[in-house]
Amino acid sequence: MPRAKYRESDVDLMARLMRAEAEGEGNQGMLYVGNVIVNRLVSNCLDFEDLRTVEDVIYQVQGGNYSFEAVQKGNLFYQRARSNEKRLAKMTLDYWRDHPAKHALWYFNPYAPCPPTWYGQPFAGQFKNHCFYEPAPDTCDGVYIG
């Protein structure tokens, strides 16, 4: 049973975002971005309540901007998904999770050392240039299921 309900068009959309956000960090970095997308979809808490589809997650607007910078600014996001990224997207939708993004709901590239918290949420770990943050204990149980 997959971690999240999805359609083939969701795989394509997610693959495009994973590539746009983390192509420079290789397959592993793209998988971590995929973890965050799926975690936001299944968590139903904090900033991510009532997100029901992959499309809802990717096109979510917070504070007047898209949650993912690549949707707003990324040329790669608007290119066709390649087979490798589709395979990675399907893996994260179906089963793949790993530290530091296993339970992460946020990531960013600080262009400096990772801060110990991000908007009050604890640092989970770093992969190359991206810092990952998971919800504080007892604030978002949905992300820890599965």
Side-chain angles (χ1 to χ4, degrees):
M1 182 167 168
R3 291 187 58 218
K5 185 177 175 182
Y6 66 92
R7 303 169 309 202
E8 209 49 45
S9 60
D10 296 325
V11 173
D12 182 79
L13 181 62
M14 194 164 144
R16 291 176 20 224
L17 185 71
M18 290 166 63
R19 177 181 176 200
E21 290 279 329
E23 181 178 42
E25 298 192 354
N27 286 350
Q28 193 79 15
M30 288 187 280
L31 284 165
Y32 291 144
V33 168
N35 276 180
V36 170
I37 295 166
V38 176
N39 290 344
R40 288 181 179 187
L41 179 58
V42 302
S43 66
N44 199 33
C45 63
L46 303 170
D47 297 335
F48 312 108
E49 288 183 3
D50 301 321
L51 299 175
R52 300 291 180 245
T53 66
V54 169
E55 190 173 345
D56 289 346
V57 173
I58 291 176
Y59 290 112
Q60 182 186 26
V61 174
Q62 295 177 308
N65 293 304
Y66 288 106
S67 295
F68 294 101
E69 187 175 357
V71 175
Q72 193 157 317
K73 300 178 182 177
N75 288 338
L76 285 178
F77 179 69
Y78 294 100
Q79 293 180 12
R80 291 174 55 137
R82 299 182 300 197
S83 59
N84 181 55
E85 288 89 24
K86 287 181 183 180
R87 180 182 61 81
L88 298 174
K90 190 162 174 28
M91 283 173 57
T92 60
L93 285 160
D94 285 340
Y95 65 90
W96 195 91
R97 296 173 87 180
D98 198 17
H99 177 77
K102 185 173 185 176
H103 304 296
L105 291 175
W106 305 273
Y107 65 87
F108 80 111
N109 179 348
Y111 301 99
C114 296
T117 61
W118 179 249
Y119 293 103
Q121 307 304 321
F123 175 64
Q126 181 174 357
F127 181 76
K128 294 190 178 180
N129 293 321
H130 283 105
C131 305
F132 292 87
Y133 296 84
E134 57 189 36
D138 301 322
T139 61
C140 189
D141 293 337
V143 78
Y144 295 102
I145 297 171

